[in-house]
Amino acid sequence: MNDLTIPLTMQVNGTDHSIDVEPRRHLADVLREDLALTGTHLGCEHGVCGACTVLIDGEPARACLMLAVQAEGSEIVTIEGLADADGTMHPVQAAMHQAMSFQCAFCTPGFLMSTIALLRDNPSPTTEEIREELSGNLCRCTGYQSIVDGVETAVELMGSDR
Amino acid sequence: MTATRQTSGLGFVGQRVMRVEDERLLIGDGHFVADGDPTAVLHAAFLRSPFAHADVVSIDVSAARALDGVVRVFTAAELNARTNLFPPFLMTNGLYAPLFGCLSERRVRHVGDPVALVVATSRAIAEDALELIDVDYEELDAVGSIKAALLGNAPKVWERAKGNVLGDFTDEFGDVAAAFDAADHTIEATLTCPRQTNQPMETRGIVVTVDPDDGHLDVRSTTQAPHFLKWALAALLIDKPTLRSVGDFVRNKERRSAFGAAAKEFVAANRHRLTEQDPRGLLSQVRADRSTLPLMNRIGAGLLAAADYPTVRAGDIGGGFGSKGPVSREEIAIGAAASIMGQSIQWIEDRVENLLDGGQAREEQFRVRVAVDSDGTLRALDVDAIIDQGAYPGFPIPPSVTAKFWKVYMPGPYDFGAFRLRARTVATNKGKVVPYRGPWANETWMRERVIDIVAAELELDPGDVRAKNVLRPESMPPAMITGPTLDETMSAAKTLDHALAMIDRDELVQQKSTAEARGHRLGVGIACYHEAAPGPANFWSSIEPGSDLLLYEDGRAELAADGTIRMYTSQSPHGQSHQTTYKQVAADEFGVSMDDVEIVWGNTDRTQFTLLGTGGSRGGPLGAGVMRVTARNVRDKVAEVAADMLEANVSDIEIVAGNIHVAGVPAKGMTYRDVAAKLAADDGITSGPVLTDQVRYEGVGNGGWSVATHVAWVDIDLETGEVTIPRYVVVEDCGPIINPGVVDGQVRGGVAQGIGAVFYEKHHYDEHATLMTTTYMDYLIPTAMEIPEIEVVHLETLTDGENDARGVGEGGMIGAPAALTNAVSDALGVQVTEQHLPPYRLLELAGIIGPD
Ligand code: FES
Ligand code: FES
C-alpha cells in the first residue's frame, strides 16, 4: 500500500494524542486499533446500528462514518472515558447497571453515548422522547424496554446528584 | 400449585441481582473477538461470488499476490486440498447431505459463496487485494424459491442429489383418515414464511494464533459451542502435527497414550452419534454419494492426540441467537490457513458478509388441513411442509432437523386425536440456514394461525377454541401423541386461562370502535405453546432415536488450595448472563457471597467436552442444574471436613455468609479458606484444587417443559399501513426463576425479534436468487420506536426436580409471530396467510391498495 499518512492531533478521554494515520481510515478503527480503545464497537460499519457512537466536541457521532483525519483538533469521549479515575461509574452507567439494561452489551457503547448527549440537552425527557432519541441505536437482544428503564433511572440518579 | 422459590444460603436465587458482566461491559472493558492487538496478527478477507449459481472457469490471483502487504492468497483448490470436506452430520433417513469444502472451487451456489482467501498485514490491504483477483464465472440458472426448486426442469443445486428435494419424510400419529372422515368440517390453509436472519449486533469472527514451536492452534472465536469448533477444526484440518509425524507417534509412548485419551474423550462425547445414529440415514447417504465413506475414514484417521486439538476460547460474545452455534466454512478456512502458514490470522466478518451468509432462517411453507367439529373440537391436523435450506446446510445442525422437531411439536399443547406431517427439505441458491431462536417456531405460528382460521370459519371465538382444546392438567394424557411425556404440573392451559382473563372483551369492543373512528383498525391475537426446555427424557428420542445429546450437561465445582471456589461450565454465554445466574446458584449452595465464586467458561482446556454449548434453552435447566449439584456436593465435602475439625456432627454444620460453624455457635466458625488450607496441608498441595466434584447432570426426569401464552394488541393506520402495538402480554411459566431481570430480558428480546419478523424484517432474494437486503438500510431491524413495552407475567410453578428452572431464551420468538399475525387478522377481518406484513401488505389486505 502507499505509505501516505497524515498527522492527526486529537484529545481522547482527556489525553492528547498525536499520531500519523492513513487518510482513508475511519475514526472507529483508529480509536480501536491505534489507541487500543476497543470499548467502541463496530456493528455495521455503514452508519445504521449506532454501536460506534462517540462524542466529538460533545456531540454524538458515528465513528464508522467519519474519517479519522476529520477529527483533527477535536475532543473525543468514548465509553472508556465515562467512569471516574477511581472506577466509579458515570451515573448513566450506574443506572444502566441497576436497570439491567443490556445482555450481550455489544450495542452498549452507542447507547451510553447517545444517552449522555440526550440527558445533557434534555435532563428530564419523556418516555416517548427517550425512545425517539435512542432510535438511532440498534439493540438485538433486549427489546429496548430495559434500556429505556435505564435512561429513566439515570434521570433520577442525575437529578438527585444535582 | 403455588409459586415457591428455592432459596438457600444467602438467598440470591430468585432475586433480581444486578449483572456481574456489566461491571466490565458497561465501562468498555469487555473482551470481544475483535478486541485483540491488530498488529499481532495477519488479517483475512474472503473473495465471494457475485453470482447465485455459476461455474468457476478460471481464477487468477497473481495481481493480488503481488500487492504490497499481501502475505498469501489461497484459491479454493489450494485450501481444499489441505482440508477435509464437511462430513454429513445428524443424518436422517433419505436425506441427501451434500459434501462441501471450506471454499468453492468449481461451482458457486449462492451470492457470497467464498472462492478465495487473502491474508495480508491489514484488513484494508486484504480487501484491496480482493479487487485484484480475476475470476471468470460462467453463470448458470439459479433456483430462487421453493417453487422454482420444485419445477421439473429446475437446475440442480447439488448434482449428485436426485433433485432439489434433499429430504422427504412422512410420519403419522393416530388414524388421520378416520379422524377426517368422522369430523364435521375440513378446513384448509396454505401459510408461508419468508426468510429471516438472526443478525446479532456483533458479526462472526475468529482469531487463530499459532504456537511457533509446536504449531498448536489457539483459537478465539465468537462460537456458541467452543468444543464443537475444537472438534471440527481437529477433524477438518489435514495439516496437523499428528499426521506429519506418524513415525514419532508410533515411537513415542506419551504421544500414543495422549492419543488414546483424546480418542476416549471423542468417543464418549459421541457415543450415541457413533453407535445409534440412524443407520438408514447413513446408508441412504452413502448410496446417494459414494464419496462419503472414504471421507469419514479420512476424518476418523485424523483423530488427534489431546495436545494436538486446538484450544478454543470464547470471551465476550455480542449475541448469536443460534447463528454462532454452527461451525462455518470461514472458520475452517482461517484455521487451515493459519496452520499451513504457521502464522496467526484474524478474520472479522463485516455486516454485508453477515447478511449474505452469517446465518438465515425460517423460509418455510405449510399446506394444512384441519379436521374439526362444529363446536370447535379439533380432531386432526394434516400438514405438508417445505423448508428452503439454501445451498449449504448448516453444520452440524442442518435445516432438515427442524422438520424432525415439527414432527414432535406440531400438535402443541392441544388435544389433536391424530396428526400427520409430510416434510420436505429443498435446496435453493441462497445463503445457509441455521437455527434461529426457537428454530422450530413456525410450527407454533402455523398451528396458532390455523386455529384462528378455524374459529373464523366456524364463527367461534379464537380464545374459546383454544380453551376448549388445550390439554388441561386434570385430563392430561401421559404423553403427546407424537411421543414425549407430558407433565401436568407444567400446563400451557394455566398460562392460557391467565392470559384470556387479561383480555377485557368489553373494553376491546370499545377500543376497536375508537380505532375505527380514527381511520385505524385494532385487533387482538393469541398464541399458546409449550416448548421442551430441555424437555422430558424421551423428547429427543421422539425426534430421532438415540439423539439424547441435549439431555445432559457436564460441569465441575472445585475448592482451590487458596480457598477460591471455582465453577466450570461448558456453556458459552453470549448475552444470557450465565456468569451472574450461575454465581447466584453456586453462592446459595455454598452459603457464600457471589463475589466468593468464580465462573469459568468458554475455554476448552478448562471445561468439559460437549458438542453443544449455549443453545436450546439449556442454560437454566441443565447448565444451572449441574452448577447446583456440583456446588452442593463440594459444600457437603467441606462440611464433613469442617465437622472433623470442629469435632462435631456433620449434620450440625451450618454455612452462613461463608462462616462454617456448628449450628448456634457462629462465633466458633471457620471459612472455606481454612478448610482449603487444612486439606492442602494434609495432602501437601500448594496450588490447584483440594476438592473437586464433576457431574453429568441429566435434568428433571419427565418435566422439562416451558409453557406460555402471548396476547398482542395491534393498531393499524389505514392511511399509512403503520402499525403500533398498544399492548403486548406474555404469561409464561419457566418454573422457579433464578433472576427475574434476566428472564424478563430474554422474553422481551425474543418478542422483539418476533415483531421484527412480522412487520419489518424480510431477507429478500429476487427471482435470480440475488440478495437484495445486504445492508441495514434494506434489512430493517426494529428500533426503540417500534418495540413497545412488553408485560411479562411469571407463573413460576415448582415441579419435582433438583433444579426446576426451565429454559426461557427461545419462547419470546416462538409465540410472537403467531400472536401478531392473529391480531392483524382480527383487526382487518381477513385471514392472514403470510408471516411478513410490511405496511404495503397491510394496506393490500385491508383493501386500501390493490395487489401489484
Ligand atoms: S458501526 Fe457505525 S453505525 Fe454501525
Ligand atoms: S444487548 Fe446485545 S445488542 Fe444490545
Side-chain angles (χ1 to χ4, degrees):
Chain A
M1 225 36 268
N2 61 43
D3 291 329
L4 176 68
T5 57
I6 292 181
L8 166 66
T9 305
M10 58 185 179
Q11 194 192 79
V12 183
N13 300 332
T15 307
D16 291 324
H17 294 275
S18 290
I19 51 176
D20 293 324
V21 299
E22 261 185 76
R24 69 169 174 174
R25 295 177 70 212
H26 57 58
L27 178 62
D29 275 349
V30 169
L31 291 172
R32 289 177 50 83
E33 295 175 1
D34 299 22
L35 306 186
L37 294 170
T38 53
T40 298
H41 294 160
L42 287 167
C44 70
E45 294 177 278
H46 55 252
V48 180
C49 77
C52 64
T53 306
V54 297
L55 297 182
I56 300 181
D57 297 327
E59 290 308 314
R62 300 195 171 214
C64 77
L65 287 187
M66 218 177 124
L67 295 174
V69 291
Q70 291 175 286
E72 172 62 36
S74 46
E75 284 176 24
I76 296 173
V77 181
T78 70
I79 183 173
E80 290 93 342
L82 297 181
D84 284 351
D86 69 355
T88 309
M89 283 188 186
H90 183 284
V92 171
Q93 290 170 313
M96 299 285 192
H97 193 193
Q98 262 180 39
M100 301 181 74
S101 294
F102 298 108
Q103 293 176 27
C104 80
F106 198 78
C107 63
T108 297
F111 277 100
L112 289 175
M113 293 306 166
S114 299
T115 301
I116 284 167
L118 160 68
L119 295 186
R120 185 201 51 211
D121 296 343
N122 180 359
S124 47
T126 63
T127 308
E128 205 40 41
E129 285 169 340
I130 294 171
R131 286 184 175 269
E132 170 106 47
E133 283 300 318
L134 296 186
S135 67
N137 291 79
L138 298 181
C139 173
R140 192 58 160 166
C141 298
T142 63
Y144 302 103
Q145 191 167 335
S146 54
I147 302 175
V148 175
D149 288 350
V151 180
E152 286 172 347
T153 308
V155 169
E156 283 166 33
L157 287 185
M158 292 167 85
S160 63
D161 268 7
R162 282 156 200 193
Chain B
M1 194 168 282
T2 50
T4 343
R5 281 186 169 138
Q6 298 171 309
T7 49
S8 63
L10 299 182
F12 295 111
V13 171
Q15 305 302 316
R16 191 180 174 286
V17 177
M18 291 198 294
R19 295 189 343 139
V20 178
E21 292 86 345
D22 283 339
E23 291 162 15
R24 62 175 183 278
L25 294 174
L26 277 168
I27 60 169
D29 198 22
H31 293 276
F32 293 89
V33 73
D35 292 349
D37 176 3
T39 61
V41 289
L42 296 172
H43 298 262
F46 289 92
L47 183 69
R48 295 176 183 277
S49 165
F51 297 110
H53 202 193
D55 279 328
V56 178
V57 180
S58 65
I59 179 162
D60 179 358
V61 296
S62 50
R65 281 189 176 135
L67 184 68
D68 228 14
V70 169
V71 183
R72 184 116 178 206
V73 180
F74 291 97
T75 62
E78 287 162 332
L79 212 53
N80 288 353
R82 299 175 77 168
T83 50
N84 283 318
L85 300 176
F86 281 71
F89 211 78
L90 294 179
M91 291 304 308
T92 53
N93 187 26
L95 177 73
Y96 177 80
L99 308 178
F100 52 93
C102 57
L103 299 178
S104 292
E105 191 175 328
R106 290 179 304 107
R107 178 165 293 180
V108 288
R109 293 185 173 83
H110 67 88
V111 175
D113 202 343
V115 295
L117 170 65
V118 174
V119 181
T121 51
S122 80
R123 176 171 138 185
I125 294 174
E127 285 177 12
D128 289 342
L130 295 182
E131 292 180 17
L132 300 175
I133 299 177
D134 196 7
V135 187
D136 192 5
Y137 293 100
E138 198 168 284
E139 208 180 343
L140 302 168
D141 284 342
V143 178
S145 65
I146 290 175
K147 199 169 146 206
L150 295 177
L151 290 177
N153 59 351
K156 267 162 81 168
V157 178
W158 295 100
E159 305 93 290
R160 294 191 199 198
K162 280 204 211 81
N164 290 322
V165 178
L166 305 187
D168 184 353
F169 73 82
T170 303
D171 258 309
E172 181 166 341
F173 306 89
D175 190 338
V176 171
F180 273 91
D181 285 346
D184 296 340
H185 307 271
T186 295
I187 292 170
E188 302 189 9
T190 298
L191 304 179
T192 56
C193 178
R195 198 162 271 242
Q196 303 162 9
T197 153
N198 313 45
Q199 293 306 302
M201 281 297 107
E202 176 200 42
T203 56
R204 297 174 298 160
I206 185 168
V207 184
V208 180
T209 308
V210 187
D211 187 309
D213 295 331
D214 61 7
H216 178 78
L217 304 182
D218 194 308
V219 178
R220 276 187 53 98
S221 159
T222 53
T223 178
Q224 295 175 220
H227 287 276
F228 186 69
L229 178 58
K230 164 181 124 165
W231 176 81
L233 284 164
L236 300 187
L237 305 192
I238 299 176
D239 275 43
K240 294 175 293 212
T242 311
L243 295 189
R244 285 204 296 264
S245 57
V246 175
D248 170 60
F249 174 73
V250 173
R251 282 188 301 274
N252 185 332
K253 183 157 169 268
E254 198 182 315
R255 202 160 167 74
R256 279 203 310 275
S257 67
F259 175 83
K264 225 169 98 192
E265 180 191 54
F266 177 82
V267 171
N270 290 283
R271 198 175 27 157
H272 303 295
R273 290 270 142 256
L274 295 172
T275 58
E276 295 181 50
Q277 172 162 276
D278 182 351
R280 294 170 308 153
L282 212 54
L283 224 65
S284 68
Q285 175 69 21
V286 173
R287 244 182 263 128
D289 189 341
R290 293 188 182 282
S291 53
T292 310
L293 265 193
L295 171 69
M296 294 304 235
N297 281 337
R298 251 167 78 194
I299 290 172
L303 266 185
L304 299 175
D308 295 334
Y309 274 89
T311 300
V312 174
R313 290 180 296 131
D316 290 312
I317 301 176
F321 316 109
S323 67
K324 291 171 177 171
V327 169
S328 64
R329 301 167 72 199
E330 289 92 343
E331 286 169 305
I332 300 302
I334 299 296
S339 167
I340 292 166
M341 294 170 65
Q343 281 176 287
S344 303
I345 302 179
Q346 159 169 316
W347 173 65
I348 306 298
E349 183 183 47
D350 71 25
R351 184 55 63 185
V352 176
E353 290 180 291
N354 188 267
L355 283 156
L356 280 171
D357 202 27
Q360 308 175 8
R362 275 200 253 282
E363 184 164 11
E364 292 151 1
Q365 69 184 47
F366 306 89
R367 266 197 9 243
V368 193
R369 294 194 312 141
V370 192
V372 59
D373 287 343
S374 301
D375 66 354
T377 305
L378 299 169
R379 295 287 178 200
L381 184 62
D382 184 12
V383 182
D384 185 340
I386 305 179
I387 296 174
D388 177 348
Q389 78 150 35
Y392 301 89
F395 182 78
I397 303 181
S400 49
V401 170
T402 299
K404 293 278 168 176
F405 276 93
W406 287 344
K407 175 190 85 170
V408 176
Y409 267 130
M410 264 183 186
Y414 300 100
D415 191 13
F416 284 98
F419 163 57
R420 176 168 54 208
L421 171 68
R422 178 189 184 193
R424 281 171 282 179
T425 302
V426 162
T428 60
N429 291 112
K430 303 187 202 167
K432 73 168 175 290
V433 165
V434 299
Y436 177 20
R437 202 169 201 165
W440 58 87
N442 272 343
E443 56 77 35
T444 287
W445 176 64
M446 176 279 294
R447 181 190 61 247
E448 297 299 312
R449 188 74 280 280
V450 161
I451 288 177
D452 274 28
I453 292 174
V454 164
E457 207 128 324
L458 302 178
E459 296 181 2
L460 298 170
D461 178 82
D464 293 345
V465 174
R466 286 183 175 78
K468 186 179 184 63
N469 291 283
V470 74
L471 296 167
R472 295 194 168 274
E474 53 282 8
S475 57
M476 192 172 285
M480 290 182 73
I481 54 168
T482 54
T485 305
L486 289 164
D487 170 7
E488 75 278 359
T489 60
M490 289 296 268
S491 95
K494 246 188 341 186
T495 65
L496 177 66
D497 293 344
H498 194 109
L500 291 178
M502 292 177 78
I503 307 172
D504 182 332
R505 295 193 192 201
D506 297 332
E507 189 188 48
L508 184 61
V509 172
Q510 191 55 51
Q511 286 168 330
K512 284 188 178 204
S513 70
T514 313
E516 220 161 299
R518 293 165 54 221
H520 290 218
R521 293 290 181 275
L522 184 135
V524 66
I526 307 162
C528 176
Y529 60 91
H530 63 190
E531 85 179 284
N538 60 357
F539 180 78
W540 294 94
S541 56
S542 304
I543 284 179
E544 190 72 25
S547 65
D548 54 358
L549 195 65
L550 287 150
L551 271 179
Y552 59 79
E553 174 94 4
D554 294 315
R556 190 164 84 241
E558 76 185 26
L559 177 66
D562 64 359
T564 308
I565 294 166
R566 277 197 193 91
M567 307 297 300
Y568 295 82
T569 175
S570 301
Q571 292 271 313
S572 183
H574 40 287
Q576 299 90 342
S577 319
H578 287 59
Q579 208 188 345
T580 302
T581 50
Y582 288 6
K583 275 190 182 219
Q584 290 177 259
V585 168
D588 275 3
E589 292 298 334
F590 279 107
V592 298
S593 80
M594 285 171 60
D595 287 345
D596 294 332
V597 178
E598 190 184 307
I599 307 291
V600 178
W601 80 95
N603 181 335
T604 56
D605 286 351
R606 302 184 74 193
T607 60
Q608 280 133 287
F609 195 95
T610 167
L611 284 186
L612 290 145
T614 291
S617 293
R618 297 162 66 259
L622 297 177
V626 74
M627 293 295 104
R628 186 187 298 277
V629 173
T630 52
R632 186 175 300 167
N633 291 345
V634 170
R635 181 252 178 230
D636 288 349
K637 289 181 199 168
V638 166
E640 276 171 34
V641 178
D644 251 13
M645 293 167 74
L646 294 165
E647 295 176 359
N649 254 329
V650 67
S651 57
D652 293 333
I653 296 293
E654 223 177 56
I655 308 180
V656 178
N659 182 353
I660 309 168
H661 56 266
V662 176
V665 257
K668 289 201 178 145
M670 57 180 69
T671 63
Y672 277 94
R673 215 190 163 99
D674 299 332
V675 173
K678 159 95 166 74
L679 288 169
D682 288 356
D683 299 345
I685 297 174
T686 50
S687 68
V690 289
L691 286 175
T692 302
D693 188 69
Q694 186 164 316
V695 161
R696 170 160 292 182
Y697 179 70
E698 302 202 327
V700 293
N702 283 335
W705 293 100
S706 250
V707 292
T709 299
H710 291 211
V711 187
W713 283 254
V714 304
D715 176 292
I716 302 161
D717 182 343
L718 293 189
E719 189 84 39
T720 59
E722 195 191 333
V723 172
T724 52
I725 302 171
R727 192 175 180 201
Y728 198 106
V729 175
V730 178
V731 182
E732 68 82 33
D733 192 343
C734 63
I737 289 171
I738 299 171
N739 187 327
V742 171
V743 170
D744 287 348
Q746 288 295 314
V747 172
R748 291 185 178 129
V751 171
Q753 284 176 316
I755 293 171
V758 173
F759 297 118
Y760 306 100
E761 300 174 35
K762 177 186 175 186
H763 218 25
H764 182 59
Y765 283 84
D766 72 7
E767 68 269 36
H768 307 297
T770 300
L771 184 66
M772 310 309 283
T773 38
T774 55
T775 72
Y776 280 167
M777 264 85 84
D778 319 298
Y779 191 85
L780 303 178
I781 292 185
T783 73
M785 291 294 281
E786 287 85 42
I787 304 298
E789 297 249 322
I790 293 155
E791 296 168 50
V792 188
V793 179
H794 305 292
L795 298 185
E796 287 201 89
T797 296
L798 182 67
T799 59
D800 58 354
E802 275 176 310
N803 183 70
D804 277 327
R806 307 303 166 85
V808 73
E810 297 171 281
M813 178 123 208
I814 295 171
L820 293 164
T821 52
N822 284 346
V824 168
S825 301
D826 181 48
L828 299 180
V830 296
Q831 294 309 320
V832 167
T833 57
E834 64 258 60
Q835 190 175 107
H836 182 62
L837 303 167
Y840 81 88
R841 186 60 191 141
L842 291 169
L843 294 179
E844 276 176 11
L845 288 167
I848 308 284
I849 58 174
D852 43 42

